[in-house]
Amino acid sequence: MGDVAQISEFGKILIFLITGIIVVCLIFFVNRVFAPNHPNFEKQTSYECGEEPVGSAWLPFNSRFYVIALVFLLFEVEMVFVFPWATVFGSHEINKIEPRWGILSLVEMFIFLGILILGLVYVWCKGDLDWIKPAVIKPTTDVQIPISLYDKLNLEQSSHTVRKFSMEQPVLAIETANATPAMPQPIRKPMFKPTFKKPENE
């Protein structure tokens, strides 16, 4: 009786991937066959937090919404690392084998939480957590230029008109009566004459 060939570890992974793809496609097919499909106006409308949509979705949003959402996701994802730390820190078996693991994990988690708190303080100080638009601070300078000069300059700039675009080349007005034919410019010779030295061994 010959030896039975064993499936390698990569073969097991390949079988797992093929089985997963087949199961997902089968579930989609069964859903397509048996699920009721009755679209109506209510089902086709957008849904957001139980509120009925009002107006068009093509309108400008406050960018603070995206900043606060990104900060929330950042801290939420990083706080997930607290759960495996709590599992290791609270494991009596690991602490019995090596007591230093508990102290090391405690110090490491305080460092991790300290970095997160510093990031939160930085975002807070930058004002990115303020949903209400802060008051506009007008810059002030110590120059002695009167305001009337600025008003005069703005008035002059506002009266400026842009020249109409034209594909035709502008023709320069040249007085032909007193015009004399232009003398051709003499060809300038180079101011130096290149010399080439022969190598010493020739």
Side-chain angles (χ1 to χ4, degrees):
M1 191 178 203
D3 294 336
V4 179
Q6 297 289 329
I7 299 177
S8 67
E9 295 299 323
F10 290 110
K12 294 176 184 177
I13 295 173
L14 180 62
I15 291 173
F16 179 76
L17 289 175
I18 292 173
T19 306
I21 292 171
I22 291 173
V23 168
V24 169
C25 293
L26 183 65
I27 290 172
F28 274 114
F29 175 73
V30 171
N31 180 42
R32 185 76 180 215
V33 171
F34 293 105
N37 185 17
H38 304 296
N40 55 28
F41 177 76
E42 293 295 332
K43 289 183 179 180
Q44 299 296 331
T45 56
S46 58
Y47 178 81
E48 182 68 28
C49 300
E51 296 290 333
E52 293 184 3
V54 177
S56 174
W58 296 98
L59 51 91
F61 285 94
N62 196 336
S63 62
R64 288 179 178 80
F65 173 79
Y66 300 104
V67 173
I68 292 176
L70 288 174
V71 170
F72 169 73
L73 287 176
L74 177 67
F75 284 96
E76 183 187 33
V77 170
E78 290 189 354
M79 287 303 291
V80 171
F81 293 109
V82 176
F83 291 101
W85 166 81
T87 304
V88 172
F89 184 71
S91 175
H92 298 294
E93 293 82 10
I94 296 176
N95 290 328
K96 285 179 184 177
I97 295 171
E98 185 60 53
R100 290 180 296 181
W101 275 111
I103 299 171
L104 180 64
S105 62
L106 181 65
V107 172
E108 186 271 338
M109 185 46 61
F110 272 117
I111 293 172
F112 178 73
L113 291 176
I115 293 172
L116 284 183
I117 291 170
L118 281 177
L120 181 61
V121 169
Y122 173 76
V123 172
W124 197 346
C125 291
K126 290 283 285 183
D128 290 333
L129 297 181
D130 297 333
W131 181 254
I132 300 173
K133 189 174 181 180
V136 179
I137 302 173
K138 280 187 84 172
T140 56
T141 58
D142 297 333
V143 295
Q144 303 298 325
I145 301 174
I147 300 296
S148 59
L149 210 58
Y150 286 110
D151 294 336
K152 181 181 177 183
L153 183 63
N154 290 332
L155 189 62
E156 290 175 358
Q157 292 293 329
S158 63
S159 63
H160 177 73
T161 56
V162 180
R163 188 174 58 185
K164 192 174 181 181
F165 176 75
S166 175
M167 292 293 293
E168 298 177 0
Q169 294 290 336
V171 180
L172 298 176
I174 302 174
E175 295 182 0
T176 55
N178 298 330
T180 56
M183 298 294 293
Q185 295 290 334
I187 299 173
R188 297 184 63 186
K189 295 182 180 179
M191 300 299 293
F192 68 94
K193 185 177 182 182
T195 57
F196 301 98
K197 293 183 179 179
K198 292 185 178 180
E200 298 290 337
N201 53 7
E202 287 187 2

